[in-house]
Amino acid sequence: MENYSKDLQAKIDVLAAKIKPVQVGSLTFSSPLLLAPMAGITTSPFRLLMENLGAGGTITELISCYGINYGNKKTLDMLKICAKEKVVGIQLFGDDADQMAKAAQIVAGYGCNFVDINMGCPVRKVVGKGAGVALMQNTKVLSTLFKKVRSAINVPLTIKIRTGIDENSKNAHEVVKIAQDEGIEFVTIHGRTKMQLYRGQVDWEYIEQIASDSQIPVIGNGDLHTPLRVKNKLSDTNCQALMLGRGPVRNPFLFLESFRDDEDIAFVATDYLEVILQLKSYMELQLTKNHLMLIQLRKFIVWFSAGFANASSFRGKIFRLQDISEVMKLTEEFFLTLGSAEKKMNVDDAFLTSGHG
């Protein structure tokens, strides 16, 4: 049990009791809802927070195989997994099969439950090096890549892809077939093309068709930002699990609320404050530099405040503060003033559309 009040813990327990574990390949997750890898976001403190708020498993942000193999300290620090984390994958990106295999062997020693290959990041600095979603352009090299990485590790290998490069060249079904032939444990499909980035319609029809036809598990991902959307998709999907990305960044209770019934008590502003305090305690255990903690705290606090009254004014004030104690004082005042107010937000507003992995 975490450091939550009796009232908040009771809300969490009621919803957590409704969640059933799911088997995806050889991996068992405590929920069919997993946290997607996001650059600068799915660090160990946030992963741990999401696990204790209902996520069945998590994945690190994308990590360069070259940084790992060069022994770059900043890169190696990204591999650290807290002992409290239950099921976590480490996601690698790169374009060279031998370098990826070497890095995978290293990261498997950090205690991850699986290794994931990033084949979905559309950001120019990743794609320009032939990594991320660029790997989907040359399917001839994928068999060798998968074979070499899988043979280098003793934990399952998974991949995360997009539907394709653009609307005229969707080839996720082809990539999934290669993955199946090479023993990949499961494939996560984000329902957009490279050209869409994080905008436009998610092609759930294509994901569902692949999941229906595939002999290996498929996990669906894309715009599952509200409890209702997640609940509806869970009740009508061929996917063996779903992956949530940007939604939990603004609503940390999304994994739980997706199993909420009308009679269940809602989460309110003071609950969000407790979650922020819990996240801060995780950061204090794992971040040794105050300026890094300040940057991380401020952005999560601002994201969690979205949808509450006067959030815009609060956001402007908090980013001007350079002291953690001042940040926490203003944060407590903001959420305590709101008290039992519930979050009301237009989830279709543009959010994190410039790239997060």
Side-chain angles (χ1 to χ4, degrees):
M1 185 177 293
E2 306 305 321
N3 297 318
Y4 298 129
S5 67
K6 185 177 178 180
D7 287 346
L8 175 54
Q9 191 62 55
K11 293 181 189 179
I12 293 171
D13 292 344
V14 165
L15 296 178
K18 300 181 182 186
I19 304 174
K20 306 300 181 186
V22 63
Q23 188 83 18
V24 184
S26 64
L27 291 161
T28 301
F29 298 104
S30 60
S31 167
L33 303 179
L34 313 180
L35 177 67
M38 292 175 281
I41 296 174
T42 52
T43 58
S44 182
F46 186 64
R47 296 196 308 265
L48 184 55
L49 181 75
M50 292 298 95
E51 275 199 339
N52 74 52
L53 292 177
T58 67
I59 304 179
T60 68
E61 57 187 309
L62 74 172
I63 303 174
S64 166
C65 70
Y66 299 105
I68 292 167
N69 294 337
Y70 294 153
N72 181 277
K73 184 180 184 305
K74 184 177 179 182
T75 305
L76 295 178
D77 283 345
M78 295 165 71
L79 300 174
K80 292 178 181 177
I81 297 172
C82 174
K84 287 185 176 183
E85 293 183 67
K86 299 179 184 71
V87 183
V88 58
I90 291 180
Q91 188 183 73
L92 301 177
F93 77 92
D95 65 320
D96 181 272
D98 291 322
Q99 291 289 327
M100 287 285 281
K102 180 180 177 182
Q105 193 169 37
I106 293 171
V107 305
Y110 276 73
C112 61
N113 300 93
F114 59 99
V115 174
D116 188 72
I117 297 177
N118 182 306
M119 296 176 58
C121 181
V123 176
R124 184 180 301 173
K125 67 179 181 180
V126 173
V127 173
K129 297 177 182 177
V133 73
L135 289 172
M136 294 186 69
Q137 288 181 292
N138 186 7
T139 54
K140 292 179 181 179
V141 306
L142 294 183
S143 180
T144 299
L145 172 65
F146 296 159
K147 197 186 304 289
K148 286 189 175 183
V149 176
R150 195 169 70 86
S151 64
I153 57 179
N154 57 5
V155 294
L157 178 64
T158 66
I159 62 174
K160 188 169 189 288
I161 66 176
R162 285 185 167 238
T163 56
I165 301 303
D166 56 40
E167 287 297 317
N168 298 317
S169 57
K170 290 184 177 180
N171 66 337
H173 59 285
E174 182 183 355
V175 174
V176 170
K177 178 63 169 64
I178 297 169
Q180 173 186 300
D181 292 344
E182 295 301 335
I184 299 300
E185 201 76 9
F186 63 76
V187 179
T188 301
I189 305 175
H190 178 82
R192 289 186 175 91
T193 65
K194 168 187 176 289
M195 298 306 294
Q196 284 181 280
L197 297 176
Y198 298 93
R199 301 179 177 88
Q201 191 73 25
V202 173
D203 193 346
W204 273 102
E205 185 177 346
Y206 186 42
I207 294 175
E208 294 294 351
Q209 184 60 56
I210 294 172
S212 175
D213 297 341
S214 175
Q215 293 179 31
I216 63 171
V218 169
I219 296 176
N221 170 231
D223 281 5
L224 297 172
H225 297 332
T226 70
L228 183 59
R229 286 186 188 177
V230 178
K231 197 168 193 173
N232 288 343
K233 179 51 67 177
L234 278 173
S235 68
D236 183 26
T237 185
N238 297 312
C239 299
Q240 289 195 245
L242 302 175
M243 196 168 278
L244 313 185
R246 290 176 288 171
V249 173
R250 291 196 290 187
N251 177 7
F253 299 109
L254 182 57
F255 292 101
L256 294 168
E257 287 188 323
S258 298
F259 296 91
R260 181 173 173 249
D261 296 318
D262 291 341
E263 67 271 15
D264 293 321
I265 301 173
F267 294 102
V268 298
T270 50
D271 297 326
Y272 278 75
L273 175 59
E274 288 195 47
V275 166
I276 289 167
L277 293 172
Q278 184 65 63
L279 179 59
K280 179 176 179 285
S281 72
Y282 291 152
M283 288 182 179
E284 288 171 340
L285 293 174
Q286 299 178 53
L287 297 178
T288 56
K289 296 181 179 178
N290 269 2
H291 74 279
L292 293 178
M293 186 168 156
L294 173 68
I295 293 168
Q296 286 285 313
L297 256 182
R298 283 188 312 196
K299 72 180 183 182
F300 278 110
I301 289 169
V302 165
W303 287 335
F304 289 173
S305 73
F308 287 111
N310 302 315
S312 179
S313 173
F314 171 68
R315 180 170 62 246
K317 291 176 183 176
I318 206 163
F319 276 126
R320 290 196 292 269
L321 299 178
Q322 300 299 318
D323 180 82
I324 291 175
S325 62
E326 291 180 1
V327 166
M328 294 311 299
K329 182 183 178 198
L330 181 62
T331 299
E332 290 184 20
E333 289 174 356
F334 175 75
F335 284 99
L336 288 174
T337 299
L338 289 165
S340 60
E342 295 181 38
K343 182 186 284 279
K344 295 179 180 178
M345 184 172 55
N346 181 359
V347 294
D348 292 317
D349 286 345
F351 177 63
L352 287 177
T353 57
S354 60
H356 53 272

